[in-house]
Amino acid sequence: MATSRFDMQSIEVPCPVCGLEIERSVAWIKSNGHFLCDGCGSVITLLRDRFLKDLQSADRLIAYSRAQAPRRLH
C-alpha cells in the first residue's frame, strides 16, 4: 500500500456502541479492517475502502494545490 503524507497522523474512531473515541494512526487504519473497542470490547469494523479513496483524494488535492501555488522569489 502506498504511503501517504497523513500516515503518521492520528484520528479518533468512535465506537458505535459506547461512544468511546479510540485513537489510531492513519497507517494503522490502512493496515487493519477492524479492532476491538478499548471500552466495551465491541468489534469496530472500519470502512477502509472509502477511507483509502478519500485519503487518496486529499493527497491529490494537496499536491495539486502546492503545484499551483506561486513560487516565492528570493
Side-chain angles (χ1 to χ4, degrees):
M1 195 171 302
T3 60
S4 163
R5 70 185 83 244
F6 300 109
D7 281 351
M8 299 309 295
Q9 298 296 315
S10 292
I11 62 172
E12 292 180 346
V13 180
C15 174
V17 176
C18 72
L20 179 69
E21 292 190 350
I22 301 108
E23 190 173 302
R24 296 290 188 256
S25 72
V26 169
W28 188 92
I29 291 171
K30 287 167 62 175
S31 299
N32 296 276
H34 61 277
F35 64 99
L36 297 178
C37 173
D38 297 336
C40 68
S42 294
V43 175
I44 299 173
T45 301
L46 302 169
L47 301 175
R48 284 183 59 242
D49 290 341
R50 173 68 188 263
F51 178 77
L52 294 174
K53 182 179 176 183
D54 290 346
L55 188 63
Q56 288 173 340
S57 294
D59 268 333
R60 282 194 301 269
L61 181 60
I62 289 170
Y64 175 79
S65 296
R66 286 186 175 167
Q68 297 302 314
R71 303 275 184 216
R72 289 187 176 176
L73 299 176
H74 295 278

